[in-house]
Amino acid sequence: MKVLDHLEEWIITFLMGAATIVIFVAVMHRYASGLPIGALQERLIQINTSWAQELTIIMFVWMAKFGAAYGVRTGIHVGVDVLINRLAERTRGKVVTFGLLAGALFTGIVGTLGVRLVWENGMHYALFTMLGWNVGDVPEGPTTPDLEWPTWVVYSAVPLGSYLMCFRFLQVTWQFLRSGELPHHEVAHVEGLEEEPAPPKPGVEDAIYRMRDEVHPHDVEHPPLPGDDDSGARK
Amino acid sequence: MSTAIIFGLLIALMLTGMPISISLGLTVLTFLFTMTQVPIESVALKLFTGIEKFEIMAIPFFILAGNFLTHGGVARRMIRFANSMVGHWHGGLGLAGVLACALFAAVSGSSPATVVAIGSIILPAMVKQGFPKKFGAGVITTSGALGILIPPSIVMVMYSVSTNSSVGALFMAGVVPGIVLASLLGFTTWYRARKFRYPRNPPASWAQRWKTFRESVWGLLLILIVMGGIYSGLFTPTEAAAMSAVYAFIIAVFVYKDLRLRDVPRTLLASANMSAMLLYIITNAVLFSFLMTSEQVPQAMADWLIGKGLGVVAFLLVVNVLLLLAGNVMEPSSIVLIMAPILFPVAEKLGIDPVHFGILMVVNMEVGMCHPPVGLNLYVASGITKMGITELTVAVWPWLLTMLGFLILVTYWPPLSLWLPRTLGMVSG
């Protein structure tokens, strides 16, 4: 489990940084190859960077899919919680559980649709060819315009990311049912300012979306355990 | 009929408090499964191709640039500079806070981030000087909203993505209204400070001013890279965003040295987390507007409204009321992504300039961020000041009224937003 967590974090951190560098290098290259320095210019012109844009898009789409799953774990996704935060504890627990399961349902369906998409877009062909089976009249599947990567590999972000997200939703639901806690409390508020005017930590911008506000559901104090019908929750 | 079902379902799902992205997606799926012949396979493809636009990629880059600069160093230097310029007038530090927010807005594309960066430094200082807590909180909560009006702005990128208008023109159009709003908020601060005799700072010498300017200029150059780069055609908006992220990294790590290299992965991760959340809403909003278009909802609505004889004036009034209501329950990015594709075709038919309409929406979002129940700025300010939301709501009203007045001005006087981009030739007409 820990491995999966770290892998997830590592992937999106890498994609974020790498995409920035790719665009930076491509822009630098565009202007540097305009410089009238004979040998350098000739060598630079030979390098083709027209694929940079496409690569960035692919990297960010992958980042978005896996980041969305990571976001479920960190509780960053925003919703309309004005109403349910005013409900009684027990009802709120039920509604929150419903919301989380709906998330799992949606991502599960999308993941399955994604598998079909990937399969029909060339995975079928690629797998059968690799195994040496008869492909019949299955088409080879398209490739991306600049990088000429097979699209099914690129599109596999949809099923992989969605299934991971589905798993995260179920994980959060399980935690919520057991402890009544939602993930957004793991990360500190924009706090730490009482003692000294310490500057906010880097990346504080996303912590903003994890405060006790009205775009996230609040925790319930008593876990809505199954069978916990009328005891406890009525304080 | 189908329109009513779509919206009824969406609203019902959203009210259960599930993420907005999920409720958008589930609405689309339910509708497609049960009521139409649109092939369901197209959904998964749309989930990938929906954000396959280079323009959208400006959002993660701007978030990254903002995150590199959202910590003590940059904000502190900007406050020092602002204080040396206006601190000796009525309002003192409060006025400096407004100016510092405006300056910080020029490096950050988000409002709550501006409140955090400036507020967490200036609010304790103001209390120490003898300002009432609620005065400071009121100033910073509302001035922080400048973050999404003064470019770069994440909300503007969202608008341009969902309406296919030019990011560059929107950014340019935000400049003048941003300065005007900052002046108006500054005036309110000045007026109230004079009335209640709040402390002022001793005037700074020009040498001091120059020194503080030179210290803060590295941060301020970021806006020059973005605006200059886009305007001169050196970069596309997305490239400008990537360049500003690299620039912000260099400034934070090597020039100001208030970010250690080993903190960089954490900043990257936090930015990726936030970007992914926004990109996920965009993906599902694209699905949703795909459904809207295939059901011809915006067209039907446009025809209906125009058939009613609704003029520009009345339409804009309706839009403002609608957006202000939406601002009560949702945060800005979601509102823009859901509402813009619906309202924009009507505005277009009525001959309202897309850029003007965008600025109007952004100003409206600003108002929404400063009042309960969902105002994110309020929650951030309450986190910093430890004041309750109700107390804060009372504290912000003088500035909130100023903002509402400004909203009317922006809505009914298009030249305010259109003059600069028109002069620069970025908007036709």
Side-chain angles (χ1 to χ4, degrees):
Chain A
M1 199 59 68
K2 271 263 152 51
V3 179
L4 184 64
D5 287 3
H6 283 303
L7 187 69
E8 191 181 64
E9 284 166 19
W10 190 83
I11 287 177
I12 61 178
T13 307
F14 166 76
L15 288 174
M16 185 87 208
T20 316
I21 293 167
V22 165
I23 289 295
F24 179 72
V25 170
V27 172
M28 282 297 142
H29 168 262
R30 192 171 72 213
Y31 287 102
S33 56
L35 293 177
I37 309 168
L40 179 74
Q41 187 170 25
E42 246 167 59
R43 195 165 309 160
L44 281 174
I45 285 176
Q46 282 166 9
I47 311 170
N48 180 6
T49 53
S50 60
W51 44 265
Q53 196 157 322
E54 192 178 287
L55 182 62
T56 311
I57 291 176
I58 294 172
M59 286 206 268
F60 271 160
V61 172
W62 277 72
M63 184 203 79
K65 299 297 167 215
F66 287 92
Y70 174 71
V72 174
R73 184 149 66 89
T74 56
I76 203 177
H77 291 281
V78 292
V80 179
D81 296 289
V82 180
L83 198 72
I84 63 157
N85 281 339
R86 279 159 184 67
L87 293 174
E89 290 267 301
R90 244 180 64 217
T91 333
R92 191 167 81 233
K94 281 179 190 148
V95 178
V96 170
T97 314
F98 170 75
L100 289 171
L101 289 176
L105 174 73
F106 175 68
T107 46
I109 295 176
V110 167
T112 313
L113 290 175
V115 168
R116 245 201 304 186
L117 174 81
V118 167
W119 184 253
E120 281 158 17
N121 259 288
M123 189 181 170
H124 192 167
Y125 180 89
L127 194 69
F128 276 33
T129 319
M130 205 174 70
L131 297 172
W133 293 350
N134 180 19
V135 261
D137 53 357
V138 176
E140 193 181 332
T143 54
T144 63
D146 291 327
L147 289 164
E148 294 178 0
W149 289 353
T151 43
W152 71 268
V153 177
V154 175
Y155 286 168
S156 56
V158 176
L160 289 176
S162 291
Y163 278 140
L164 183 63
M165 201 167 166
C166 180
F167 170 68
R168 292 295 182 202
F169 267 119
L170 293 174
Q171 212 181 6
V172 171
T173 315
W174 175 241
Q175 256 172 29
F176 178 72
L177 285 174
R178 276 176 46 205
S179 66
E181 271 174 34
L182 287 165
H184 63 273
H185 274 211
E186 283 172 13
V187 183
H189 281 203
V190 196
E191 262 174 11
L193 297 160
E194 301 110 305
E195 310 87 31
E196 46 163 8
K201 294 257 154 32
V204 78
E205 189 164 338
D206 78 317
I208 290 162
Y209 283 94
R210 299 191 205 135
M211 301 187 345
R212 197 180 167 84
D213 54 26
E214 298 289 350
V215 289
H216 293 103
H218 298 169
D219 292 346
V220 296
E221 267 168 39
H222 296 271
L225 280 175
D228 181 23
D229 276 342
D230 42 9
S231 60
R234 239 187 230 158
K235 265 190 185 168
Chain B
M1 187 55 212
S2 54
T3 316
I5 297 174
I6 294 175
F7 278 103
L9 191 61
L10 179 66
I11 292 169
L13 286 176
M14 282 207 293
L15 286 180
T16 65
M18 69 177 72
I20 289 182
S21 39
I22 301 290
S23 28
L24 283 167
L26 273 179
T27 308
V28 175
L29 280 191
T30 319
F31 197 79
L32 289 186
F33 270 128
T34 54
M35 281 184 237
T36 53
Q37 316 302 321
V38 182
I40 202 84
E41 278 74 22
S42 60
V43 172
L45 187 63
K46 269 262 174 268
L47 275 179
F48 197 94
T49 54
I51 51 173
E52 215 180 22
K53 271 190 199 163
F54 196 53
E55 292 75 33
I56 297 177
M57 304 310 160
I59 293 170
F61 287 138
F62 277 131
I63 289 176
L64 183 61
N67 267 347
F68 275 130
L69 298 179
T70 310
H71 44 76
V74 179
R76 209 179 287 274
R77 288 176 181 87
M78 284 181 177
I79 291 171
R80 247 183 258 147
F81 172 56
N83 191 32
S84 76
M85 293 307 284
V86 298
H88 57 290
W89 290 340
H90 287 285
L93 265 185
L95 208 53
V98 177
L99 182 57
C101 280
L103 293 176
F104 196 80
V107 301
S108 161
S110 142
S111 282
T114 309
V115 178
V116 174
I118 302 294
S120 52
I121 297 168
I122 212 166
L123 287 175
M126 282 177 79
V127 173
K128 227 178 256 173
Q129 274 201 5
F131 284 93
K133 222 178 186 182
K134 60 175 198 187
F135 180 81
V139 172
I140 301 301
T141 308
T142 45
S143 305
L146 287 168
I148 55 170
L149 182 56
I150 295 182
S153 155
I154 290 160
V155 178
M156 284 186 196
V157 180
M158 298 263 187
Y159 175 84
S160 87
V161 165
S162 49
T163 61
N164 277 327
S165 37
S166 142
V167 183
L170 274 165
F171 278 8
M172 277 301 168
V175 173
V176 177
I179 295 171
V180 172
L181 180 58
S183 319
L184 288 174
L185 291 172
F187 177 77
T188 311
T189 313
W190 177 85
Y191 177 78
R192 288 184 66 82
R194 202 181 63 151
K195 198 165 138 201
F196 298 112
R197 296 175 187 285
Y198 291 145
R200 300 154 71 167
N201 287 326
S205 70
W206 282 103
Q208 275 169 317
R209 284 176 187 170
W210 174 243
K211 188 169 160 278
T212 52
F213 172 72
R214 247 188 14 217
E215 275 174 2
S216 60
V217 77
W218 290 110
L220 293 174
L221 276 176
L222 185 122
I223 185 68
L224 272 186
I225 295 182
V226 175
M227 300 302 276
I230 296 176
Y231 175 63
S232 63
L234 279 176
F235 315 128
T236 63
T238 307
E239 284 170 350
M243 298 310 272
S244 69
V246 173
Y247 177 78
F249 163 75
I250 294 171
I251 291 303
V253 176
F254 298 113
V255 180
Y256 286 162
K257 296 196 176 87
D258 37 36
L259 189 71
R260 282 162 305 181
L261 261 180
R262 66 186 160 92
D263 288 331
V264 171
R266 228 157 32 107
T267 311
L268 285 173
L269 182 63
S271 313
N273 193 11
M274 170 100 165
S275 316
M277 187 265 284
L278 293 175
L279 289 176
Y280 201 66
I281 302 181
I282 297 182
T283 318
N284 288 294
V286 167
L287 269 187
F288 186 70
S289 68
F290 165 72
L291 173 69
M292 294 300 241
T293 321
S294 81
E295 292 296 311
Q296 306 207 318
V297 173
Q299 291 83 342
M301 239 169 86
D303 292 341
W304 181 72
L305 281 171
I306 291 166
K308 287 262 171 201
L310 201 66
V312 175
V313 175
F315 171 69
L316 288 181
L317 186 70
V318 172
V319 167
N320 273 324
V321 172
L322 204 62
L323 291 177
L324 286 175
L325 286 177
N328 280 313
V329 291
M330 279 191 270
E331 48 86 50
S333 311
S334 321
I335 301 179
V336 169
L337 286 169
I338 297 174
M339 301 293 246
I342 303 171
L343 296 173
F344 182 71
V346 189
E348 220 175 12
K349 268 198 180 161
L350 287 171
I352 298 166
D353 191 282
V355 172
H356 171 228
F357 196 65
I359 298 297
L360 180 160
M361 277 191 93
V362 170
V363 174
N364 211 306
M365 296 302 106
E366 290 191 303
V367 176
M369 301 195 88
C370 301
H371 70 79
V374 169
L376 277 173
N377 285 8
L378 278 183
Y379 288 95
V380 177
S382 125
I384 299 171
T385 57
K386 308 275 172 251
M387 282 167 77
I389 294 295
T390 328
E391 207 184 339
L392 262 174
T393 312
V394 180
V396 296
W397 77 261
W399 292 273
L400 199 59
L401 277 185
T402 315
M403 277 172 104
L404 280 172
F406 178 71
L407 176 60
I408 297 172
L409 184 71
V410 165
T411 309
Y412 290 111
W413 196 44
L416 182 65
S417 37
L418 291 180
W419 173 79
L420 186 63
R422 223 171 242 168
T423 314
L424 295 174
M426 297 176 90
V427 174
S428 55

